[in-house]
Each structure stands twice: as C-alpha cells, then as structure tokens.
Amino acid sequence: MLNNILDRIKLPFRKEKELYSALYDILGFYPRNITYYKLALMHKSLGHRATEEEIRALEGKGKRKGKGGKGNQRGRLGKHINNERLEFLGDAILDAVVGDVVYQEFPGKPEGFLTNARSKLVQRETLGKLAKEMGITRLILASGRTATHNSYMGGNAFEALVGAIYLDRGYKACQEFWTERIMKKFLNVEKIAYKEVNFKSKLLEWSQKNRVTLEFRLEDQSQDKNGSPIFVHTVVLEGVDGCRAEGFSKKESQQKASEMTLKKLRSDNRFLDSIFAAKTARTQMDEDPTMAVPDVEQKEEEGLVVTQARQTDIAGQAEDNEAPAAVSETEQIIDSMNLDDVSHDMAGESKEDIIAKAEAEAYK
C-alpha cells in the first residue's frame, strides 16, 4: 500500500506517466521497471530494434556468467525484439497459478477434470477476451494492419504481461493479479470449468456413437493481404457437407465449423435426415453384393488354352481342308522324277513303257 502511494507521488515526474496510469488501472499497482511491461506489449510486427536497457530486461533475472554478459548484450544491440520471450514465461506462470486456483476451487475432483478446467481458463480465446475487457489490447504496440485482424494478439499480450509481472514483482504478485483482478471481476471459474468448449471432440463423439463417418475437408489454405495464414474447413458427415468456417489456424477453423455443424444438427431436421439416409445407403451397399462371384475355372480368353476336344475339332477341320489335294505316294514319286534325266538307252521306248518301268522299280 505504501509503495503504491510513493509511486503515485512520483507519477507526475515520470516520462511515460500515461502508460503508468493505464497499467495501474489494469494491474492494481504501478510498475517498478516499466521496460518489462513495454516489451510485453510489443508485437513482432512492429519490427522494433533492441536497446541496451531492453536487452537487460529480456535476459531476465539470475543470468549465468558467460550467458548474459555485456559482450552478449552488445552482440544483440539493434536486433529485432518482441514480446515472445515474455509470452513463454507468462504461459508457464499462468499454468502454475491457475492450476493452484483450480485445485483449491474443486476439492475431490479427479486429475482429468482439473486439467480440462485449467486449459479452459488459460486458452487463447479466454485470455483474448480478458485482454479486450481490461484494456490491454489497446496498449499493444503493433503495425496497424496486424492489430486489426490477429485474434490471438490480445491473449499473447496477456501472457507476456504476466511474465512482466513475475520479473518485476515476483510470483506472489502474479497470484494476486489473477485472483484479485481477474477472478473477482471478470471470470466465473465454476461456470467456465463445466462449460463444453471442445466442439470438435463433441462432434467426433456424436459421430462415433451413431457410426457416422466424419471428416474435415480443407477447402482453402492461403494468406490474407497482411501475410497472415487463413485456413478454411468444411465438416463432412457421411459425404454430406455440413458447415464451413475459416480461422487463423487449422484448429480454429475446425472448431468453428464443428460448433456451427452441431447447432445445425440440433435445429435442422432435414440436414440430420439426409445424413442418416446417406448412412443407410452406404451400409446397404456394404451388405448387398453388386455382382456374382466370378468362376475361377472359366477362361478369360477363348483360345488361350486349347482343350483336347478342341484339338480334335482342329484336326478334323485340317483333314477336310486337305482331302481334295491328296495324291498317292506313287504319283508323288513320279512327279518328283525328272524325265529329262532318263538315259539315252531308253530313247527308243515309249513314254508309257518308261512309266511302267519306273513303277516296277518303285515297288521293288
């Protein structure tokens, strides 16, 4: 209390008194080291270059020798810095603080319930809403085009601010900030803990119980004019298109599409009937054969393998084709003989005598 009074007295003499006043309204106390908080509100899109004071703040407490010395600081001068390191630290601190709160609020609840309750309280959507309600979002230093569309910027800045509180005033101050400034004014812990927010998981559970096929079809993956990624997914149930949604991550777009599809399933009976009609058609096709089982003995190509009966037919056809041209063996021998080669001693004999002698010679 006394420290706050002294800080208020010093306020008119500070260079950044407007920032001090705004942070006091949010935190409930005045910062001791304003550099931590300025870094917590600095988005990477700003492209800010590090000063020596900011580097010392980013190195954090308890630096080991050789890791955060002056030489290392000089090497980082002028390099781009942002609130991502403080965001990492704040995320870890929040998990511990909120885990303690959930443990105390729900005695006897199993580990799975406590884990889900904590994740709902510290998820980006919840922290983003808190940042907007508390006025943190309007203090973020970022390029104008980025600040207008990034849905996670506020939640990230909230975590970074918790990291700044930890470095500036310690773990106890983080606990008091959450319990006194957040829980008492903005959050109903019990309501949030019991609220179902994982719409994708809920839709998957419904589809499995009803044996309905489910897929998330990626319709588009692109970037907006500011270079931020955009994903578009459509929920497909039994081949029937459900709802379509876009988001800055695959998870976000699928969650939104799942939520919209669940609402449609509850309100649109024709949509629900079309899904189960498609399921009936699919299961009917699976049960009824679409064609007779082929005979493994049947030959796919006629004539590829010739059977014995087929060989007989072929032989018969060959005999019929060759019958008119058949001649006796004697005639074949005679035809093969060249009468011009007959010796001159036969010159006085007739042609008939010569043929008779040839036949007699053939049958010896």
Side-chain angles (χ1 to χ4, degrees):
M1 186 68 178
L2 180 60
N3 287 334
N4 276 339
I5 294 174
L6 293 175
D7 288 332
R8 186 179 291 274
I9 294 172
K10 296 177 183 178
L11 182 61
F13 305 98
R14 298 188 183 277
K15 293 181 179 180
E16 298 165 314
K17 56 184 178 182
E18 291 83 4
L19 181 58
Y20 274 94
S21 297
L23 288 172
Y24 178 83
D25 293 337
I26 294 170
L27 307 174
F29 56 82
Y30 288 103
R32 291 175 182 169
N33 187 340
I34 193 67
T35 304
Y36 292 132
Y37 302 90
K38 289 169 65 177
L39 288 173
L41 298 170
M42 194 175 295
H43 189 260
K44 63 181 179 181
S45 64
L46 190 65
H48 178 74
R49 296 186 179 277
T51 66
E52 189 172 344
E53 182 182 7
E54 289 167 345
I55 291 173
R56 284 199 301 268
L58 277 176
E59 292 293 341
K61 296 181 179 180
K63 299 188 295 291
R64 291 184 297 172
K65 289 184 178 180
K67 294 292 183 181
K70 291 183 178 180
N72 186 44
Q73 291 176 9
R74 285 195 296 270
R76 295 180 59 190
L77 279 175
K79 291 188 176 181
H80 292 288
I81 60 170
N82 51 63
N83 63 358
E84 289 180 344
R85 278 177 57 87
L86 287 174
E87 178 190 335
F88 163 80
L89 179 61
D91 178 58
I93 300 298
L94 266 180
D95 274 349
V97 170
V98 177
D100 183 24
V101 168
V102 169
Y103 184 86
Q104 302 296 334
E105 287 286 325
F106 302 101
K109 288 292 183 181
E111 180 268 345
F113 175 88
L114 299 179
T115 300
N116 288 332
R118 180 182 62 185
S119 65
K120 293 172 187 176
L121 287 166
V122 299
Q123 66 178 342
R124 286 291 189 276
E125 290 80 2
T126 303
L127 299 182
K129 291 178 181 178
L130 285 172
K132 186 176 181 180
E133 290 294 325
M134 298 175 71
I136 296 173
T137 304
R138 62 184 176 84
L139 297 177
I140 297 174
L141 301 174
S143 63
R145 61 183 185 181
T146 304
T148 58
H149 76 279
N150 194 326
S151 58
Y152 291 145
M153 186 183 294
N156 295 343
F158 186 97
E159 289 181 337
L161 201 62
V162 172
I165 295 171
Y166 174 74
L167 292 178
D168 188 37
R169 289 184 172 247
Y171 182 77
K172 186 176 180 181
C174 295
Q175 287 181 307
E176 291 176 354
F177 170 68
W178 182 263
T179 55
E180 299 298 323
R181 307 295 293 185
I182 305 299
M183 287 179 56
K184 288 186 177 181
K185 292 186 176 182
F186 298 101
L187 291 184
N188 184 329
V189 175
E190 185 170 352
K191 184 178 180 180
I192 293 176
Y194 285 101
K195 182 181 179 182
E196 177 58 58
V197 296
N198 194 340
F199 300 107
K200 180 179 178 181
S201 176
K202 197 171 184 68
L203 181 61
L204 180 62
E205 181 183 359
W206 178 87
S207 67
Q208 289 176 342
K209 285 184 177 180
N210 290 280
R211 297 182 180 180
V212 170
T213 61
L214 167 66
E215 66 171 308
F216 292 89
R217 187 174 65 229
L218 180 62
E219 303 285 6
D220 187 33
Q221 181 176 344
S222 58
Q223 293 183 340
D224 63 9
K225 61 182 180 180
N226 300 313
S228 297
I230 294 179
F231 299 90
V232 180
H233 278 91
T234 296
V235 172
V236 182
L237 296 164
E238 286 292 347
V240 179
D241 285 1
C243 295
R244 172 175 172 166
E246 69 176 38
F248 293 108
S249 68
K250 290 183 179 180
K251 181 179 178 181
E252 183 183 6
S253 63
Q254 291 177 2
Q255 281 283 3
K256 288 181 179 179
S258 297
E259 180 182 8
M260 295 164 63
T261 301
L262 284 169
K263 291 179 180 178
K264 188 174 183 179
L265 285 169
R266 293 182 63 87
S267 61
D268 190 342
N269 289 330
R270 287 191 298 179
F271 175 57
L272 186 62
D273 290 343
S274 66
I275 292 171
F276 282 101
K279 175 192 171 184
T280 301
R282 173 179 60 82
T283 54
Q284 187 69 27
M285 289 176 64
D286 292 342
E287 292 172 359
D288 295 342
T290 58
M291 62 175 290
V293 178
D295 183 2
V296 296
E297 300 298 331
Q298 182 179 356
K299 303 301 179 292
E300 293 184 2
E301 291 188 43
E302 186 66 22
L304 185 63
V305 178
V306 181
T307 63
Q308 186 174 2
R310 177 64 177 160
Q311 287 177 340
T312 303
D313 292 341
I314 294 173
Q317 292 176 6
E319 291 178 359
D320 293 340
N321 292 334
E322 294 176 1
V327 294
S328 66
E329 183 179 353
T330 303
E331 292 176 320
Q332 291 179 12
I333 295 173
I334 294 172
D335 289 342
S336 63
M337 295 177 62
N338 187 352
L339 296 181
D340 296 333
D341 294 336
V342 179
S343 60
H344 61 84
D345 59 351
M346 295 182 182
E349 297 179 357
S350 66
K351 183 176 181 181
E352 288 77 7
D353 293 336
I354 295 172
I355 293 174
K357 286 183 180 181
E359 287 179 348
E361 190 68 21
Y363 285 102
K364 281 183 180 181

